[in-house]
Amino acid sequence: MKKINMRKWIANLSIFALSFSIIPIIQNQTTEASTGLIVSYSPQPLTAGCVPELIDPTQPFTIYVKDQDGEPVDLTMGNQIDHQAVWNILFVDHHPEQLGQYYWTRTSLHNNNQSRIDNRTLFGFEPIQIDFSRADEGRYVFKNFVANDAGSFFISVFTPDRRRAGSVKVDVVSPSVRYEIINTEDPDQNVFTVPGDPDFILTAADNRLYKITAYATNAQGIPYRGIDKDVNVCTGLTEYARFVPFTTRPANFDFTRSPETTTGHYRANNSYVEYLVNQGGRYYLYLGIDYNNNGRIDVLNNEAHPMGAFNVYDLNQQGRPQRTNYYTYFVTTNMMWDNGSFVTDPQFDLKKSKNGWGLGSIYNRPYHGGYLFADLNNDGRLNYQDALTFDSQGRCEFYIFSDDVCSIGGLVGFNPFGNHDVAGGPPVSETDPQTIERRYRPSYVFHLDFDAIATTQIGSGKPSIKVLDAKTGVELGKNLMNPNNYDLIYSIDNHIRIEIKPADPRDLNVSRQGIISLQGAQHQTSIYGRLNTEVMNDTTVTTTTMHFTPTGKGENIAWMDCIF
């Protein structure tokens, strides 16, 4: 069969390049453009963080092209046209001309099509593998495609003569994650779930250890299955089905001592920044991993890992990443001005307010502002070596010491890119993040840029506390100044009874190994009551009774601490 002169054919195709911008894109999932191609895709929808063919080999990311009559269109013209040319010239992967404040990280449809937005140019590697062997059926396969967040984008397809074209909107959704939770002190080992009816809530501050089993599925309901191992810690790049536990910003960040800072030069984007010298008085939840499979977490066996900050990596004088003694959190926010320009200074601290570019600002939205992970191998970086793996049953087990109020979730990945740091680095110019060509820069710290955030998360909440009149058993009112604050009577002895219960009533009762303290601006600066357990109406409750005489006025003259 005679081959087409490729040089002449490509030259002719370039004449039509100007027509790309006038092809209409009709915004529905399977579209028929005015020029006559019907384009669709499978699997529908795609799943964030997941390479489709790794979880289901029969379902790689595939684009189907048909004509107006529903007949398949062979863009290779019976293999007369080289498949690489068809791939690079007849398929167009669209990005917005100007990006918004937040934008995801996803592989391009093209590895190296001589554009400024292919994978080689954007990320420095070429992941996509094509299979056009069934082009006569209108079937075009693109392997290793992955996006790290829920969202959508458009792909356009052209025929070689440019007389017909079509486009399709590709939707990506978050993976589905559910959790089974057991309080390890529960003799009955009751299992609670999130999602649940209602969701189970961990109780913070009571020195509790919960065993959590995570299960993940893609949009089609197929479980993330890995390999059976004694310990489900990821030790190799070929372990694709992974889960990286995280917490949101713990409540103690609002009242403990903040980290000390110093100003220094950050070579990665040539800025002068506020480095975190230490982590202040903050404390973290701990991630437990049962390395020796004895059914408990042994601190002396290094089975408990703080979920906190990582080291800043900066470029040395030779331009190579080098670990520093400064700290950074995985901050998912950035700061954009009204004119669309961005603050270029990195934001290393996880604050409630945005004041720079977070090294985790790589998604379509800011989510919770940032997350805290455990550095399992203590190298100051986050990659597949800090991940847990799903076993062959689709399970991933870990333990959480619920020491503070926050949420617990994880990054979910089913892809071969567990050590690819391609995004998150702060921009050099204030306008760099506006375009796809200049938005992506490595952070040198966080290397799981193609894994997705699990939107289903477990809450760790405050114990439930009631303050009652010790004589009548009636709960005190909250009517005088603030509906969130109990009312005490000024300058007389208030005889009160305090009942404390777990955040979730289905959980074990709180420990009686604790103390309640009342403190405030009055002559009784601090008083303490030791907790005891009582049985009331066949229910065991933890209580303490105390006398308290407030002499201050107004709101917040007394506050309560629970010390376990």
Side-chain angles (χ1 to χ4, degrees):
M1 181 179 293
K2 183 179 178 180
K3 290 282 186 180
I4 287 179
N5 186 317
M6 289 305 301
R7 181 176 299 175
K8 180 179 179 181
W9 183 80
I10 292 174
N12 289 336
L13 278 182
S14 65
I15 296 174
F16 295 95
L18 294 176
S19 68
F20 281 15
S21 61
I22 63 173
I23 296 297
I25 296 177
I26 302 171
Q27 296 191 17
N28 54 32
Q29 197 164 33
T30 300
T31 68
E32 181 180 347
S34 61
T35 42
L37 291 185
I38 301 172
V39 185
S40 60
Y41 73 96
S42 71
Q44 290 189 17
L46 299 181
T47 305
C50 179
V51 169
E53 68 273 8
L54 291 182
I55 194 168
D56 183 359
T58 68
Q59 286 290 317
F61 179 40
T62 305
I63 296 175
Y64 304 91
V65 184
K66 297 180 180 180
D67 62 20
Q68 295 181 16
D69 299 321
E71 295 298 321
V73 175
D74 184 356
L75 302 175
T76 72
M77 298 178 64
N79 288 322
Q80 293 185 79
I81 305 175
D82 181 76
H83 291 191
Q84 292 280 331
V86 171
W87 174 20
N88 287 331
I89 299 175
L90 300 185
F91 289 88
V92 180
D93 183 354
H94 297 277
H95 292 274
E97 289 187 8
Q98 182 163 338
L99 306 182
Q101 182 173 3
Y102 295 98
Y103 195 70
W104 57 2
T105 307
R106 67 170 178 87
T107 53
S108 171
L109 202 66
H110 300 97
N111 284 337
N112 183 17
N113 65 347
Q114 306 303 313
S115 73
R116 293 176 298 171
I117 58 173
D118 58 31
N119 289 314
R120 173 183 284 186
T121 305
L122 291 179
F123 306 129
F125 75 118
E126 301 183 11
I128 302 298
Q129 301 171 9
I130 62 167
D131 179 2
F132 292 177
S133 61
R134 296 171 64 179
D136 59 332
E137 302 174 14
R139 177 187 173 102
Y140 303 89
V141 172
F142 298 83
K143 294 182 178 180
N144 280 334
F145 184 89
V146 65
N148 75 344
D149 199 1
S152 61
F153 63 100
F154 291 92
I155 292 174
S156 293
V157 183
F158 299 83
T159 56
D161 59 8
R162 278 304 196 279
R163 294 183 177 179
R164 292 178 293 173
S167 61
V168 63
K169 176 187 173 187
V170 179
D171 290 317
V172 184
V173 300
S174 299
S176 296
V177 179
R178 69 179 179 90
Y179 305 95
E180 293 181 351
I181 305 162
I182 298 175
N183 186 328
T184 57
E185 295 182 7
D186 184 357
D188 298 324
Q189 295 292 280
N190 290 301
V191 178
F192 302 99
T193 62
V194 173
D197 188 20
D199 289 356
F200 184 75
I201 303 173
L202 312 185
T203 297
D206 191 24
N207 297 321
R208 298 191 174 206
L209 177 63
Y210 292 92
K211 179 181 178 181
I212 300 174
T213 305
Y215 301 83
T217 60
N218 69 357
Q220 289 69 43
I222 302 176
Y224 285 33
R225 299 183 190 275
I227 58 176
D228 278 324
K229 297 171 61 178
D230 290 336
V231 180
N232 61 333
V233 176
C234 191
T235 55
L237 279 172
T238 58
E239 297 170 303
Y240 301 142
R242 58 181 172 266
F243 184 87
V244 190
F246 62 59
T247 76
T248 58
R249 184 178 182 271
N252 76 83
F253 278 32
D254 291 331
F255 57 82
T256 52
R257 179 172 53 86
S258 297
E260 298 175 40
T261 62
T262 187
T263 302
H265 183 215
Y266 183 59
R267 291 193 182 94
N269 76 333
N270 195 29
S271 60
Y272 283 87
V273 302
E274 192 175 77
Y275 284 115
L276 303 183
V277 176
N278 53 43
Q279 300 179 58
R282 295 169 174 174
Y283 57 89
Y284 307 118
L285 275 69
Y286 272 69
L287 171 69
I289 303 172
D290 187 10
Y291 292 119
N292 56 13
N293 287 306
N294 65 355
R296 62 178 183 268
I297 299 302
D298 301 315
V299 176
L300 296 180
N301 194 39
N302 195 32
E303 294 184 343
H305 305 269
M307 304 170 76
F310 285 73
N311 287 104
V312 172
Y313 273 75
D314 195 10
L315 301 180
N316 60 21
Q317 293 181 348
Q318 289 74 41
R320 299 188 182 93
Q322 179 175 311
R323 184 175 181 172
T324 74
N325 292 323
Y326 303 125
Y327 295 96
T328 181
Y329 295 92
F330 187 76
V331 180
T332 56
T333 62
N334 63 60
M335 191 170 179
M336 185 180 77
W337 303 112
D338 291 342
N339 65 0
S341 64
F342 291 78
V343 175
T344 60
D345 293 343
Q347 180 177 341
F348 296 132
D349 198 4
L350 185 54
K351 299 179 179 180
K352 285 187 174 181
S353 59
K354 296 179 291 185
N355 63 1
W357 182 280
L359 302 189
S361 183
I362 61 175
Y363 306 103
N364 276 330
R365 51 194 63 81
Y367 286 100
H368 295 87
Y371 299 100
L372 294 85
F373 300 92
D375 186 7
L376 298 186
N377 63 351
N378 295 313
D379 67 350
R381 289 172 165 169
L382 181 74
N383 63 9
Y384 72 94
Q385 293 175 309
D386 303 300
L388 308 179
T389 59
F390 291 96
D391 64 18
S392 62
Q393 303 300 311
R395 300 170 301 187
C396 174
E397 293 184 353
F398 58 96
Y399 294 79
I400 289 291
F401 294 83
S402 60
D403 292 337
D404 201 0
V405 176
C406 62
S407 294
I408 297 101
L411 295 180
V412 184
F414 207 131
N415 62 69
F417 309 129
N419 198 28
H420 280 68
D421 172 30
V422 300
V428 175
S429 163
E430 292 180 349
T431 58
D432 279 358
Q434 294 177 354
T435 62
I436 189 68
E437 296 96 320
R438 299 194 301 274
R439 189 169 190 115
Y440 297 120
R441 291 172 53 81
S443 67
Y444 306 113
V445 183
F446 303 107
H447 296 248
L448 291 170
D449 293 348
F450 293 100
D451 289 12
I453 292 174
T455 54
T456 301
Q457 297 175 12
I458 305 167
S460 177
K462 294 183 289 187
S464 172
I465 296 178
K466 284 186 178 181
V467 180
L468 306 97
D469 185 304
K471 296 179 180 179
T472 64
V474 177
E475 186 175 4
L476 298 186
K478 300 178 180 179
N479 305 314
L480 292 181
M481 292 188 176
N482 189 323
N484 295 316
N485 295 342
Y486 283 107
D487 302 330
L488 298 177
I489 301 176
Y490 171 77
S491 195
I492 70 169
D493 182 22
N494 287 253
H495 188 194
I496 57 177
R497 171 189 172 89
I498 299 170
E499 293 183 357
I500 181 168
K501 296 180 180 180
D504 193 302
R506 297 166 292 180
D507 203 354
L508 294 183
N509 199 35
V510 297
S511 170
R512 62 187 180 89
Q513 303 294 323
I515 295 173
I516 295 288
S517 73
L518 282 177
Q519 304 177 49
Q522 57 276 317
H523 72 278
Q524 281 187 318
T525 304
S526 301
I527 63 170
Y528 300 90
R530 185 170 297 281
L531 294 174
N532 298 287
T533 56
E534 300 178 22
V535 178
M536 302 179 61
N537 300 322
D538 298 326
T539 301
T540 301
V541 295
T542 302
T543 67
T544 189
T545 302
M546 60 179 65
H547 294 265
F548 185 66
T549 304
T551 54
K553 297 180 181 179
E555 288 191 74
N556 300 321
I557 63 165
W559 62 91
M560 182 185 302
D561 286 332
C562 303
I563 306 167
F564 291 97

